[in-house]
Amino acid sequence: MFRTHTCGELRIGNAGQAVTLAGWVQRNREMGGLTFIDLRDRYGITQLVFNMEINSDLCRDARELGREFVIRVRGKVAERFNKNPKIPTGEIEILVEELIVLNPSKIPPFTIEDHTDGGEELRMKYRYLDLRRNENRKNLFLRHQMAIETRNYLNFKDFIEIETPYLIKSTPEGARDFVVPSRMNEGQFYALPQSPQTFKQLLMIAGYDRYYQIVRCFRDEDLRADRQPEFTQIDCEMAFVTRDDVLNTFEGLAKHLFISVLNVEVSDFPRMPYQEAMKLYGSDKPDIRFGMTLHELNHLLQNKGFKIFDDAGLVVGIKAEGCGDYSRKQLEELTDFVKRPQVGATGLAYIKYTTDGAIKSSVDKFYTPENLKLVLDEMGAKPADLILILAGNTDKIRSAMGDLRLEMGKRLDLINPVEFKPLWVIDFPLLEWDEETRRFYAKHHPFTSPKPEDISLLETDPDAVRANAYDLVINGTEIGGGSIRIHNKELQQKMFRVLGFTEEEATNQFGFLMNAFEYGAPPHGGIAFGFDRWVTLFGGGDSIRDFIAFPKNNAGRDVMIDSPSVISEEQLKELGISPSTK
Ligand code: ASP
């Protein structure tokens, strides 16, 4: 027998018992005639003791054990003289009678400790060692627990988990496809799914009216901290539902996860139209843990002779309370912030309402003190408050102000890191115009239904059409998104036309779905959640990589298995692909 107990299990009540444990050597230290070893497995750490006076051979063997050796010991549980209240097994130790080395270990390239000395690259290369660390173990356990609770909730609600294929055909969801050459169909390729979107719709047509799947999706995009080329979705679809049925069902899922995993009770999620989110927060994923909403100032600051404001589509301000005495240096820092290319404003104007009631502004050449006072009054500013103002192209400036708002929220410590404020953002625009290619793209995906009252605008005023689409946003992070779908062939064809598909292209790519719509497609809708992101949010992490067992690095590489890699000429030949001439 390898073990009678795990390394996290024994307590004072076990004192006197004979036990066998197996695990990894975490630490090995000598104190006088005693040798202490911390033995680790995924359940915890148990202290082993070897006594020179009782068994000198055994004690000498123990002193030879290096870090990460795998051993098995047999011995007796004893109450510890020096108790360690920090660990659950801290009241006992094992007086070892037999030691067997199951496998020695090379000296690991970094310490397997909470504060390891290993850099990211090294830890990724030896990910199996990195995964022995507490933090990673906790993260993967959290992930496992969230998957279980997701399944518990959805199973209870009559959803069934159905697997959909990974080798499919390209679906345009806004990213590039990963493709897989087919050996049996030379010159042809499968695509890996960006999501199971069309399959889950086909399942609705097939009558499985509540589907889910915790499923891997693949998108060949440039990577960022919260993106991976393969990532996991909780993918869901329901038939015979309205938008509100979908929102209520999945608000229930979110609340269930909050309570069962974090023991946090959250109140009902507000539902905010996209337009309102953009106007008030400058973002379609607003962090509503703090206020400081955007205030439009066109009516107060335009037509007073200041050309920059006069030419702007939008003049917008936020009020930073208690910042009315900001120094020039502090204001310059904020100006530098808004001028960063990621933020994209050209300058920052301000009105300082100082503690002693003076009004100082970067634009006082153009405005009378009365003009400026009107702005302060309308924004409810008090002495010691600061108004920050941006002006320019409406969409650009809104989002720049959204960034500045978040920055000020951070600087002023207005964001409570342990609070959760979820909301639904609803009524997204159906389409997005792309200046470069001069065509419309589906903001969500081409299967999203317009709001019924907006369908008539589809061909006359496409910009104005709202989608029956929604996102779940928690603390400024988009956790999921979905929509009520089109389930009628004519409307789907019309949608493809608006998106610039020829009849032939639409039929080639999506004929299977449109044909299926002709065989009794029920009204349906659904949602998908970014599982990695959700786990990361619950775990309080910054990067989804820390919550994925074997993630890829910034260049999309797995540095442990060294992939992607070249394949042999024979393999290429077999696939009918000519070797690169590079
Ligand atoms: N398939 C969509 C996505 O991956 C989600 C959905 O509409 O259900 O974003």
Side-chain angles (χ1 to χ4, degrees), residues 173 194-197 200 217 219 231 233 235-237 444-445 448 481-483 485 526-528:
E173 288 200 52
Q194 294 185 29
S195 85
Q197 184 61 36
K200 66 176 174 176
C217 302
R219 295 184 190 174
F231 60 97
Q233 285 190 342
D235 189 48
C236 313
E237 196 75 6
H444 189 47
H445 50 56
T448 291
S483 58
R485 326 295 184 188
I527 192 163

Side-chain angles (χ1 to χ4, degrees), residues 100-279:
I100 290 168
V101 174
L102 298 172
N103 215 342
S105 169
K106 289 214 257 181
I107 295 173
F110 50 86
T111 55
I112 316 285
E113 306 274 354
D114 289 356
H115 298 286
T116 174
D117 54 1
E120 164 107 7
E121 181 81 15
L122 199 58
R123 284 187 290 111
M124 286 302 156
K125 181 151 188 240
Y126 296 92
R127 184 64 168 165
Y128 48 90
L129 296 180
D130 194 26
L131 289 177
R132 288 183 189 166
R133 295 171 54 238
N134 277 328
E135 179 182 290
N136 288 316
R137 194 172 37 74
K138 273 192 220 139
N139 291 351
L140 292 187
F141 186 75
L142 172 69
R143 188 181 177 106
H144 164 70
Q145 221 187 340
M146 287 181 71
I148 289 197
E149 290 303 341
T150 298
R151 290 195 164 100
N152 283 346
Y153 176 86
L154 292 173
N155 297 346
F156 178 71
K157 295 271 175 193
D158 278 338
F159 283 77
I160 63 171
E161 185 161 18
I162 303 176
E163 289 157 281
T164 52
Y166 280 156
L167 295 176
I168 64 163
K169 176 170 157 147
S170 179
T171 53
E173 288 200 52
R176 244 174 254 119
D177 286 318
F178 280 103
V179 294
V180 179
S182 162
R183 180 183 55 82
M184 287 192 289
N185 304 273
E186 210 182 294
Q188 296 189 338
F189 295 81
Y190 301 100
L192 300 180
Q194 294 185 29
S195 85
Q197 184 61 36
T198 48
F199 288 97
K200 66 176 174 176
Q201 293 192 239
L202 293 167
L203 286 171
M204 294 305 109
I205 299 170
Y208 298 85
D209 62 2
R210 289 176 167 223
Y211 142 94
Y212 80 98
Q213 187 181 189
I214 299 186
V215 61
R216 202 67 56 80
C217 302
F218 306 85
R219 295 184 190 174
D220 188 4
E221 292 177 300
D222 296 335
L223 306 185
R224 287 194 246 126
D226 61 346
R227 294 252 167 94
Q228 281 278 304
E230 50 179 304
F231 60 97
T232 304
Q233 285 190 342
I234 306 170
D235 189 48
C236 313
E237 196 75 6
M238 304 169 82
F240 304 116
V241 283
T242 62
R243 179 196 74 187
D244 286 356
D245 296 325
V246 178
L247 297 192
N248 292 336
T249 304
F250 293 101
E251 187 163 325
L253 169 64
K255 285 177 176 168
H256 175 77
L257 290 177
F258 271 111
I259 199 78
S260 60
V261 177
L262 293 184
N263 200 19
V264 165
E265 210 156 327
V266 282
S267 31
D268 289 348
F269 304 178
R271 295 178 184 182
M272 190 184 293
Y274 169 87
Q275 285 301 343
E276 186 183 324
M278 296 309 293
K279 269 193 167 166

Side-chain angles (χ1 to χ4, degrees), residues 28-132:
N28 185 341
R29 58 198 188 282
E30 273 173 53
M31 274 175 69
L34 300 176
T35 293
F36 294 99
I37 289 192
D38 285 347
L39 188 68
R40 183 194 68 236
D41 64 14
R42 57 169 267 226
Y43 305 93
I45 285 186
T46 297
Q47 176 164 295
L48 313 178
V49 197
F50 300 80
N51 191 327
M52 207 62 177
E53 279 173 22
I54 296 175
N55 187 338
S56 54
D57 283 351
L58 188 64
C59 198
R60 262 189 287 277
D61 287 348
R63 287 182 181 175
E64 299 298 309
L65 297 173
R67 278 193 283 146
E68 303 308 314
F69 274 47
V70 188
I71 61 172
R72 188 182 81 193
V73 294
R74 195 172 48 74
K76 272 221 174 58
V77 183
E79 180 168 0
R80 225 152 117 168
F81 186 64
N82 273 326
K83 299 200 167 60
N84 177 358
K86 286 195 208 124
I87 57 171
T89 61
E91 289 192 302
I92 56 99
E93 59 194 3
I94 311 297
L95 309 176
V96 178
E97 290 157 13
E98 184 190 62
L99 161 69
I100 290 168
V101 174
L102 298 172
N103 215 342
S105 169
K106 289 214 257 181
I107 295 173
F110 50 86
T111 55
I112 316 285
E113 306 274 354
D114 289 356
H115 298 286
T116 174
D117 54 1
E120 164 107 7
E121 181 81 15
L122 199 58
R123 284 187 290 111
M124 286 302 156
K125 181 151 188 240
Y126 296 92
R127 184 64 168 165
Y128 48 90
L129 296 180
D130 194 26
L131 289 177
R132 288 183 189 166

